[in-house]
Amino acid sequence: QVQLVVSGGGLVQAGGSLRLSCAASLRTFYSVSMGWYRQPPGKEREMVAIITVNGDAYYADGLKGRFTISRDNDKNTAYLQMNSLKPENMAVYFCAADCAIATQYCDIWGQGTLVTVSS
């Protein structure tokens, strides 16, 4: 069974940075797009960023420039670097694998990690 293990969430002050990691127990990690999603309190889950097998990155509106998605195929790990965090970025962040750019649907999901941004 494929597992996506997420780490790196926590409490940060506004303006600070966090890096989330997603370690995948997936032998074919190199062949799937990886995504980060988030669910703010009281809201629906939304796409944050997706990175393709070729390294092309797609971001939700307003996040490019502050958030950076990356992947290390040698380590079977995807990352989300979040800079200049704002209170509205507070959410439970999820990692996902085998994501389709067009539909933003992903086949495999990891557990969420809470990111809290204090003002």
Side-chain angles (χ1 to χ4, degrees):
Q1 183 178 357
V2 176
Q3 286 189 315
L4 304 178
V5 179
V6 178
S7 60
L11 173 64
V12 63
Q13 287 189 330
S17 298
L18 279 177
R19 188 177 81 155
L20 306 182
S21 299
C22 174
S25 63
L26 181 61
R27 289 195 307 168
T28 56
F29 176 86
Y30 61 89
S31 69
V32 299
S33 292
M34 297 295 296
W36 287 98
Y37 289 68
R38 67 184 179 186
Q39 187 167 14
K43 297 184 179 181
E44 293 189 352
R45 189 165 58 189
E46 59 188 14
M47 190 272 285
V48 174
I50 294 175
I51 186 166
T52 69
V53 297
N54 295 323
D56 295 325
Y58 299 84
Y59 297 91
D61 290 341
L63 295 183
K64 188 175 182 178
R66 291 194 300 118
F67 286 23
T68 302
I69 188 171
S70 61
R71 63 189 298 157
D72 185 335
N73 290 340
D74 291 333
K75 296 182 178 179
N76 280 16
T77 301
Y79 303 96
L80 183 67
Q81 177 68 43
M82 303 183 290
N83 298 328
S84 302
L85 282 162
K86 304 176 181 180
E88 55 263 39
N89 298 139
M90 183 171 70
V92 177
Y93 283 73
F94 298 87
C95 173
D98 200 9
C99 304
I101 299 297
T103 63
Q104 298 182 7
Y105 173 81
C106 303
D107 275 338
I108 305 168
W109 291 88
Q111 88 281 9
T113 187
L114 178 63
V115 171
T116 302
V117 184
S118 63
S119 57

